Amino acid sequence: MSAVQVNSNAVAMPKSLTAAIDSGTTLIYVPQDVATAVYRQIPGSQRADQMYGPGFWSYPCSAKLNIQFKFGGNFFALNTVDFNLGHTRSGSSTCVGGIVGMNDSFPEDLAIIGDEFLKSWYSVYDYSHGARVGLAPSVNNHA
């Protein structure tokens, strides 16, 4: 993963990350500095560690978002319906985001991209010429 954009704004990343496209993982896990940089692009975002655990963030549910990840030279959008994990509490105007920042024990050069992203993309895993993943929009892709 060589880049992330939020509403067409580049997210500061210290370096490219190895992206593990993992259908057995629900959320998107990245180093904490990358998660912080993503949520800084969303006005009103704040850490939600106390409510949901380390690495979680909340943001205004009304935020208009376009989040994209760059894999292999191409950008792929995250459906914001899938990014939104729900309201922080009943009747709240803040929601929980699905990009989770991991602590120092997590490899600094790894992103685990789970079902939150994959719901909108057909994925093909090919090991015949080294490891590679192909992505194509699914019928659910409304990102």
Side-chain angles (χ1 to χ4, degrees):
M1 183 169 78
S2 59
V4 179
Q5 289 183 345
V6 177
N7 297 335
S8 301
N9 297 314
V11 170
M13 291 179 43
K15 60 183 166 186
S16 289
L17 304 176
T18 297
I21 308 296
D22 184 7
S23 62
T25 297
T26 305
L27 303 177
I28 296 172
Y29 297 94
V30 296
Q32 185 60 59
D33 59 341
V34 174
T36 298
V38 166
Y39 287 103
R40 282 190 179 147
Q41 297 289 330
I42 305 171
S45 294
Q46 54 188 308
R47 298 282 300 254
D49 294 349
Q50 297 297 328
M51 292 179 83
Y52 298 99
F56 280 90
W57 289 73
S58 65
Y59 69 98
C61 300
S62 61
K64 302 296 182 212
L65 298 175
N66 178 358
I67 301 171
Q68 297 188 48
F69 302 101
K70 191 173 187 179
F71 306 116
N74 297 302
F75 278 100
F76 297 90
L78 169 62
N79 188 323
T80 54
V81 170
D82 298 325
F83 172 72
N84 181 343
L85 300 180
H87 291 268
T88 54
R89 63 186 177 282
S90 180
S92 173
S93 63
T94 57
C95 289
V96 180
I99 297 175
V100 180
M102 301 303 290
N103 64 24
D104 293 338
S105 64
F106 188 80
E108 65 183 28
D109 62 346
L110 178 64
I112 302 175
I113 310 297
D115 295 336
E116 174 185 341
F117 171 81
L118 288 170
K119 287 179 189 178
S120 295
W121 298 95
Y122 291 116
S123 54
V124 177
Y125 302 86
D126 179 14
Y127 296 99
S128 64
H129 298 93
R132 63 184 182 163
V133 176
L135 297 170
S138 82
V139 295
N140 299 318
N141 191 325
H142 303 287

